[in-house]
Amino acid sequence: MNDLLLRALKGEAVERPPVWMMRQAGRTLPEYRAVRAEAGGFKDLLMHPDRAAEVTIQPIDAYGVDAAILFSDILVVPEAMGLPYNLVEKVGPRFPETIRSRADLDRLREVDPGTDLKYVLNAIRVILDHLDGRVPLIGFSGAPWTIFCYMVEGKGSKDWTLARRMLWEDPQLSDALLSAITQATKAYLHAQIDAGVHVVQIFDSWAGSLSRELYVQRILPHMHDLLEGLSARVPVTVFAKGGSHFLKDLSTLPCTTLGLDWQTDRRWARALADAAPGGPKVLQGNLDPSVLYANPGIIRAETHRMIDELGIQRTIANLGHGLYPDIPTDHGRAFVQAVKEYAPATEQETTTSA
Ligand code: CP3
């Protein structure tokens, strides 16, 4: 078993950082598109355990990463709560119904993951069976705020005005919706852990739309609620994209790892993670995914600079957001290879530069 990721997450001394890429499953790989075409559509694919397992495992061979991430989507939770979505080709997710009032909220259901999200749990079992211990499996969900954004707006948005408006216009309704999402997500993540995932990542993709004060006062308590009890079971990563203005507040959460976006200063984040109240945090990140459009020589140099700045220990090498759909497979491979070949500056180089 390649347990490099799990050792790094325990804070054990490792020879190099483990590496995987957000959005490594799907998107760029031609072999993904073939399975997707066979399945019919995106949702058919993720509701079919054998096919979901196949595309989860593809990147292990295609890129040589040290972890698999479950092929699914964060939007399965709002759907299980009673708000179905469609993924419209080249447009993105669309929810025919949204939550704008107390009456809308009252129509939502309590989620029982064993029935409502059974297809995901079945996929996890098939994946673990097929992985046969090659690499650990990462489960995931959206964070309460990011799911709230989609449930209120019904589609992607540049600055989530309707969702932010609801926070101010109707604090009680927005808090009730955040609580409902948190409870559903908590049950879902516990079910993923029961099914065998080794690590869990919580994607707060739209954290950057909020001020520090608002995030701390209105969202962070729900994050605490979500994480409580989870992090005692498996290592948990919190990735709050655009949230470096409250990274210090995030470092108070009972999680193992903080995910960094590419805008975040690495040395500053490391100092902050080392000083976290519950003990040092692992950092995951944060190469700008657009670096992967450069030639492999530049990809390698930028990846090595990233590890120089983050350090080898308590680091998980990754991108600062998901892989873009048109990044060539061999450029993704160059990134992974660069991490595997990382060697810290030799003693001689260190003396010369000193
Ligand atoms: O990381 C992985 O490879 C595992 C699978 C995964 C998907 N979505 C598959 C997917 C994960 C972890 C996600 C998370 C997700 N989904 C997030 C959080 C991460 C982030 O990017 O910030 C968000 C915001 C979503 C919502 C979502 N799903 C959007 C906006 C879209 C549309 C377009 C796109 O590709 O980003 C999706 C669809 C989606 N989810 C695809 C894949 C592979 C594309 C489906 C296809 O066209 O075949």
Side-chain angles (χ1 to χ4, degrees), residues 23-25 27 32 36 42 72-74 140 203 205 321:
R23 296 298 195 104
Q24 65 188 22
R27 288 196 148 183
Y32 164 75
R36 191 191 149 152
F42 176 68
S72 186
D73 203 89
I74 63 169
F140 71 90
F203 286 92
S205 302
H321 196 203

Side-chain angles (χ1 to χ4, degrees), residues 244-255:
S244 55
H245 53 298
F246 44 79
L247 194 66
K248 192 168 179 196
D249 305 289
L250 293 169
S251 80
T252 66
L253 287 169
C255 62

